[in-house]
Amino acid sequence: MAESNETKNELQATAEPGVTDEAILAQMEQIKTEIAEAKPLVGGVEDIGVLGSEYDSHDKVYQQKIEHLKSKYEKIRRIRPDGNCFFRAVSFAYLERLIHDTSDYSRFASVVKQSKDGLVALGFPAFTIEDFHELFVEVVESVETATDVSDLLSKFCDQSTADYVVVYLRLLTSGKLQEKADFFIHFIDGGQTVKDFCNQEVEPMAKESDHIHIIALTEALGIHVRVEYMDRGEGGTVNHHDFPEDGSPPHICLLYRPGHYDILYN
């Protein structure tokens, strides 16, 4: 937020007389979009130490937390910060895992193939979700015989393919929230219905994800995800949260920094 305010102040100082706040905010959004699009949708695997260069060397809070993170993880794969990073990170990370460990492939592939019927039963029009479902099934099936991650990475770096995957995962998340609306309504503020929340905060592209999205998607796919939270809170350590909280070891690990998710490897 501080960085956004600094950018806004700089734009206000250099703006032509009569330029409105709305125009300045639109310019800020354009700058953010250009920065995001300069990064790959899914990056390569890097040493976890690269995080240090993203923060001021005198920023003790983040530098201490990076050191703590380095004691738990060796590598990171950075994801484009475009509002879809959670869905892209969790899907790529899990499919990459299936390439190296096929033990859960049959179960996962079956869940994905049958998932369209569950959405249709909830009232999603079959003709609007069919293309997204078919492509996601194709991507899942492609990892069954893959020997390395190169083809999967190529698919996820293709904007069209990557967006279709994200759209379908957003639909799955929405479906699980609506299926268990009596439970999830307690996570939603402002008097919204679960349906309204899904229409406004889950299904649209570029909407950021929070706990409620993670709970719903991990349950829909039957996967276990650990999220490491790194923010400016005190303590010098990075704390994690497991989804679901059933004591099972995580299949994949993600790093969360305010508004953004990347993939971690230990």
Side-chain angles (χ1 to χ4, degrees):
M1 183 62 72
E3 184 178 347
S4 297
N5 288 336
E6 288 174 8
T7 303
K8 183 178 180 182
N9 291 338
E10 291 172 2
L11 291 173
Q12 287 174 327
T14 58
E16 296 287 336
V19 175
T20 64
D21 280 352
E22 288 78 10
I24 291 172
L25 290 172
Q27 188 175 356
M28 288 174 61
E29 286 302 313
Q30 182 180 354
I31 292 171
K32 286 170 61 179
T33 299
E34 290 173 353
I35 291 172
E37 290 179 349
K39 299 179 179 180
L41 290 168
V42 178
V45 175
E46 303 173 89
D47 188 275
I48 193 73
V50 299
L51 288 175
S53 64
E54 296 187 22
Y55 300 93
D56 191 299
S57 60
H58 300 294
D59 189 333
K60 292 184 178 180
V61 172
Y62 273 113
Q63 294 299 340
Q64 286 177 353
K65 292 190 174 185
I66 291 169
E67 287 302 311
H68 182 238
L69 199 63
K70 286 165 66 175
S71 71
K72 303 165 71 175
Y73 300 92
E74 295 182 357
K75 304 291 183 180
I76 185 170
R77 190 188 292 275
R78 289 187 279 191
I79 307 298
R80 180 183 290 179
D82 60 359
N84 297 313
C85 51
F86 164 69
F87 293 100
R88 192 172 294 118
V90 76
S91 54
F92 182 90
Y94 198 74
L95 292 174
E96 181 183 25
R97 178 183 184 274
L98 291 181
I99 292 174
H100 303 298
D101 179 1
T102 61
S103 60
D104 192 44
Y105 175 81
S106 295
R107 182 206 65 82
F108 184 79
S110 177
V111 167
V112 171
K113 289 175 183 177
Q114 296 174 27
S115 61
K116 186 188 76 170
D117 294 337
L119 291 176
V120 172
L122 287 167
F124 289 81
F127 69 91
T128 64
I129 65 175
E130 187 169 10
D131 288 347
F132 302 110
H133 175 253
E134 286 183 358
L135 186 137
F136 188 43
V137 169
E138 289 176 10
V139 172
V140 171
E141 289 179 340
S142 73
V143 306
E144 184 178 15
T145 56
T147 56
D148 60 48
V149 75
S150 58
D151 181 61
L152 182 66
L153 184 59
S154 177
K155 285 180 169 62
F156 270 77
C157 285
D158 175 76
Q159 187 77 59
S160 178
T161 300
D163 285 352
Y164 265 53
V165 170
V166 170
V167 167
Y168 193 68
L169 293 180
R170 286 184 176 278
L171 292 171
L172 282 182
T173 303
S174 176
K176 180 56 65 175
L177 290 170
Q178 293 180 62
E179 177 190 337
K180 301 184 69 174
D182 290 344
F183 170 73
F184 285 111
I185 190 63
H186 303 292
F187 293 82
I188 299 173
D189 298 324
Q192 282 183 304
T193 65
V194 171
K195 178 66 172 176
D196 288 341
F197 178 81
C198 290
N199 289 340
Q200 297 170 26
E201 302 295 335
V202 181
E203 295 177 20
M205 293 289 277
K207 285 291 187 177
E208 295 180 359
S209 302
D210 208 339
H211 270 57
I212 189 170
H213 301 73
I214 307 175
I215 294 170
L217 184 61
T218 53
E219 183 171 339
L221 294 176
I223 62 176
H224 297 82
V225 178
R226 171 166 293 174
V227 180
E228 300 279 358
Y229 289 89
M230 191 171 81
D231 55 25
R232 196 165 285 284
E234 297 180 358
T237 59
V238 177
N239 299 313
H240 70 258
H241 193 107
D242 289 341
F243 302 87
E245 295 178 292
D246 62 0
S248 299
H251 295 129
I252 58 174
C253 299
L254 305 181
L255 172 64
Y256 174 81
R257 290 174 285 173
H260 184 60
Y261 296 85
D262 291 309
I263 304 170
L264 292 170
Y265 301 87
N266 50 23

